[in-house]
Amino acid sequence: MLNASGPPTPPIETHFVSLTVAVFYLLAAITVGSALGVALSNSIVYSAFALMGTLLGVAAMFVLLGADFLGVVQLLVYVGGILVLTLFAVMLTHRISDVNVSNRAVGRLPAAVLVGIAFAWMVHVARRATWVVKDPGAPAPTTYGIGNAFLRQYALPFEIASLVLLAALVGAIVVSRKEVKA
């Protein structure tokens, strides 16, 4: 490129980040920040609400990555069921905010060392892995394929899992019922 006032200047390179990548990193930051809130908060109520942010962030990432069924299941089961149950248990437990945990700072240094070792190991494994890179296809709903798989080739494992869950539910009812003494 010729410039009338001086020597040629190199073209200015611009790097654009796609909207999908920007949203992914935003959701990842929200998820990791909420997870840190769960681990580092002193109040169990704040930890439960931070857990809600973490689970919602994971559900949004599933939807963003094209796994709509997993996103909806994450939202219904974990946010709608387990987290609401946890919040009710925390709020209905008598004087849970008055619990004094002794020796709270004793395990922080070993935990930080373990987290550092695990993080370094994960980075090492991620750098050595051979990643398969493909062009993303058109987004398509996955619910139909999963439903077909449950009703055809995976019907027997699906039914066995439902029987195991039913047995666990009946066992929990039997264990938790009170015996009436006459």
Side-chain angles (χ1 to χ4, degrees):
M1 174 182 293
L2 290 176
N3 191 351
S5 63
T9 58
I12 298 173
E13 292 184 24
T14 57
H15 298 282
F16 291 103
V17 175
S18 71
L19 181 63
T20 305
V21 172
V23 169
F24 176 80
Y25 282 119
L26 176 68
L27 289 173
I30 290 172
T31 303
V32 170
S34 297
L36 286 174
V38 172
L40 300 176
S41 177
N42 288 331
S43 170
I44 194 167
V45 176
Y46 293 152
S47 291
F49 280 110
L51 180 62
M52 182 172 62
T54 303
L55 295 175
L56 284 174
V58 170
M61 280 198 283
F62 279 142
V63 172
L64 181 70
L65 295 175
D68 55 342
F69 181 76
L70 282 178
V72 170
V73 167
Q74 172 84 14
L75 190 67
L76 290 177
V77 173
Y78 288 103
V79 177
I82 293 175
L83 187 63
V84 169
L85 180 67
T86 303
L87 284 173
F88 274 116
V90 167
M91 291 183 180
L92 296 177
T93 303
H94 183 64
R95 300 178 61 186
I96 196 165
S97 61
D98 296 339
V99 173
N100 188 12
V101 179
S102 63
N103 295 332
R104 191 169 184 88
V106 170
R108 288 194 179 187
L109 182 62
V113 170
L114 283 176
V115 167
I117 290 171
F119 183 73
W121 179 74
M122 286 191 302
V123 168
H124 174 73
V125 169
R127 293 183 76 183
R128 291 189 56 149
T130 53
W131 296 94
V132 177
V133 179
K134 290 181 173 179
D135 290 331
T142 58
T143 310
Y144 180 77
I146 291 172
N148 255 348
F150 277 155
L151 295 177
R152 293 188 180 187
Q153 66 258 33
Y154 297 110
L156 183 61
F158 181 66
E159 291 300 324
I160 290 173
S162 66
L163 286 175
V164 169
L165 289 174
L166 179 65
L169 182 65
V170 170
I173 291 171
V174 169
V175 167
S176 65
R177 75 176 188 176
K178 291 182 180 178
E179 290 186 23
V180 179
K181 295 181 180 178

